[in-house]
Amino acid sequence: MEALNDENMDWMPLYLSTIAGLSTCIGAAVVFCLPKAENNGVVEISPDIMCYSLSLAGSVMITVSVISILPECLKSSTVGDDGEHALILWNSWEMASRVICFSVGVGSYYILAKCAFPEPEDLIAETVAK
């Protein structure tokens, strides 16, 4: 593809944004193609379709996150003689500090999710129980 050579790499974010926007439109078009109920004309989505759609969306988001973030996390912060970043050694302090920071972030999220921002289902269950 001539459009993706080194001279036109400045346009790569625009190409990727366009692809993302088109995929959103395609996803919306799929919803309009679902069958409507006979009595009120509302689209009824079965639990099977909902589970499939949510699992597909979740797996795509996780895959994209891992593929785009993991290589950046494994690069060293120092630049070598050739101008490139080397990979971090697994037994280095730099890797340990990144693992510690990641663990603190996971722990903070867990504490906030359990204490500060409860799940809506938990709030509903508490309200019904009273």
Side-chain angles (χ1 to χ4, degrees):
M1 293 178 70
E2 182 181 327
L4 297 178
N5 61 15
D6 288 339
E7 296 171 0
N8 294 326
M9 287 305 285
D10 293 340
W11 290 93
M12 180 62 76
L14 182 63
Y15 294 145
L16 295 177
S17 297
T18 303
I19 292 169
L22 290 174
S23 64
T24 302
C25 293
I26 292 170
V30 168
V31 172
F32 288 116
C33 294
L34 292 173
K36 296 186 187 240
E38 294 292 327
N39 53 358
N40 57 6
V42 176
V43 175
E44 293 180 5
I45 300 173
S46 71
D48 293 339
I49 293 175
M50 184 65 74
C51 289
Y52 173 76
S53 300
L54 291 175
S55 64
L56 178 65
S59 62
V60 167
M61 286 187 275
I62 289 172
T63 302
V64 167
S65 297
V66 168
I67 287 175
S68 64
I69 293 173
L70 189 62
E72 295 297 322
C73 290
L74 296 177
K75 284 183 181 178
S76 176
S77 58
T78 58
V79 179
D81 295 335
D82 58 355
E84 296 290 325
H85 293 274
L87 290 178
I88 299 174
L89 297 175
W90 290 99
N91 58 354
S92 67
W93 171 249
E94 192 172 7
M95 179 61 81
S97 68
R98 291 182 187 192
V99 170
I100 290 168
C101 291
F102 178 79
S103 301
V104 167
V106 169
S108 299
Y109 173 78
Y110 180 77
I111 290 169
L112 285 172
K114 291 297 179 185
C115 300
F117 305 106
E119 293 292 328
E121 291 84 13
D122 296 341
L123 295 174
I124 293 170
E126 289 176 6
T127 306
V128 171
K130 292 180 182 178

